[in-house]
DNA sequence: ATGAAGATTGCCT
DNA sequence: GGCAATCTTCATG
């Protein structure tokens, strides 16, 4: 069954752990791909310095200021998409949960085909790249979007209605899994460090590996 | 107008 | 482990 909108009408830190095990699916003319979520991260919105909504409403983040249960899709690093689901503990809180990783539970062939296509330059002779392991198909926020075929055109899509190509289903309801949920503070954000922002299934092979973000040094200018 | 940084990933040494 | 790819957004002059 589809997740009801009330589910998302809470603070994102409450919604996030409940999303683990839920299934995000996207149906297009090419077929259906479904992902069972194994890693998510909550953003508090207006009050969260790390959130895109921290500095107020803009054209890009407008969806986060709207009703809960809609997808906020953004483009980053010049080539990647990431998807959130909007929550709302209070009006205009602009909180959301970033979907960071998951396991493919349907449409694996289509997901692999989307992920196998080279990002930009495909040489004249396609270099024989190794077949992507199943666990890596949606391991990471940008990979998850690529596997599901999510792009900016789905920004604002309602994941609570069947008619939307993008929707969220309840998981198989495996209660044993809740015992394996691990939480931890976000890295790099000093304020509100006492709140556990990230949630994932301990030991799950599809959980993305953490890599410290290294800012690039200023570009050297040659006179 | 112009520039710097970014909720990342894949390929390089 | 380091770095390039690539472009949108926001801040500043």
């Amino acid at each position: 069954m589809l997740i009801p909108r009330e589910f998302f009408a809470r603070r994102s830190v409450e919604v996030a752990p409940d999303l683990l095990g839920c299934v995000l699916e996207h149906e297009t003319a090419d077929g259906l791909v479904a992902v069972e979520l194994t890693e998510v991260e909550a953003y508090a919105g207006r009050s969260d310095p790390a959130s895109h909504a921290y500095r107020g409403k803009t054209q890009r983040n407008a969806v986060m200021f709207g009703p809960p249960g809609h997808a906020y899709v953004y483009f980053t690093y010049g080539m990647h998409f990431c998807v959130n689901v909007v929550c709302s503990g209070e009006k205009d809180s602009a909180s959301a949960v970033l979907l960071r990783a998951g396991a493919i539970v349907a449409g694996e062939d289509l997901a692999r085909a989307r992920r196998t296509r080279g990002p930009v330059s495909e040489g004249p002779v396609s270099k024989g790249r190794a077949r992507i392991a199943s666990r890596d198909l949606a391991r990471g926020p940008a990979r998850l979007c690529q596997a599901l075929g999510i792009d900016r055109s789905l920004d604002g899509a309602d994941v609570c209605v069947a008619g939307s190509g993008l929707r969220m289903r309840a998981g198989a309801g495996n209660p044993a899994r809740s015992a394996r949920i691990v939480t931890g503070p976000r890295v790099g954000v000093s304020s509100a460090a006492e709140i556990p922002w990230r949630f994932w299934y301990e030991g799950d092979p599809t959980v993305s590996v953490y890599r410290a973000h290294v800012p690039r040094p200023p570009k050297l200018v040659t006179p």
Side-chain angles (χ1 to χ4, degrees):
Chain A
M1 67 179 255
L2 292 183
I3 305 279
R5 195 170 314 282
E6 305 84 64
F7 176 93
F8 297 105
R10 296 176 286 155
R11 297 198 308 141
S12 57
V13 283
E14 299 174 47
V15 174
D18 291 347
L19 274 176
L20 293 177
C22 290
V23 175
L24 181 69
E25 58 182 38
H26 185 210
E27 188 166 24
T28 68
D30 293 331
L32 174 77
V33 173
V35 169
E36 181 178 340
L37 301 175
T38 59
E39 181 189 1
V40 298
E41 187 164 279
Y43 286 84
R46 302 300 298 256
S47 59
D48 181 357
S51 170
H52 287 171
Y54 181 58
R55 303 197 175 271
K57 184 177 178 178
T58 66
Q59 184 177 9
R60 175 220 219 175
N61 64 25
V63 171
M64 276 201 286
F65 289 79
H70 290 254
Y72 164 51
V73 181
Y74 68 90
F75 186 63
T76 189
Y77 286 101
M79 63 182 78
H80 297 305
F81 296 100
C82 295
V83 62
N84 299 245
V85 181
V86 177
C87 303
S88 89
E90 39 193 289
K91 184 163 171 39
D92 285 343
S93 64
S95 62
V97 176
L98 171 68
L99 311 182
R100 293 194 57 90
I104 305 287
V105 293
E108 178 166 331
D109 291 343
L110 176 55
R112 180 171 285 107
R114 285 170 173 156
R115 289 268 291 116
T116 299
R117 279 196 280 269
V120 184
S121 57
E122 202 80 16
V125 178
S126 183
K127 180 170 149 190
R129 302 175 5 167
R131 167 193 169 96
I132 300 175
S134 298
R135 68 169 68 169
D136 291 331
L137 288 174
R139 192 186 198 186
R143 290 165 164 181
L144 181 145
C145 278
Q146 194 177 9
L148 284 165
I150 293 175
D151 62 23
R152 209 74 232 286
S153 70
L154 286 166
D155 187 44
D158 189 346
V159 303
C160 298
V161 299
S164 172
L166 189 67
R167 58 229 180 198
M168 190 79 75
R169 283 198 290 107
N174 182 354
R177 279 202 127 164
S178 61
R180 299 199 300 135
I181 291 180
V182 182
T183 78
R186 257 178 342 202
V187 183
V189 178
S190 54
S191 66
E194 72 281 2
I195 300 178
W197 300 98
R198 298 178 71 144
F199 303 85
W200 66 95
Y201 281 137
E202 182 176 35
D204 191 291
T206 64
V207 170
S208 64
V209 294
Y210 172 73
R211 288 158 83 174
H213 185 267
V214 182
R216 255 183 317 195
K219 190 194 294 181
L220 287 176
V221 185
T222 56

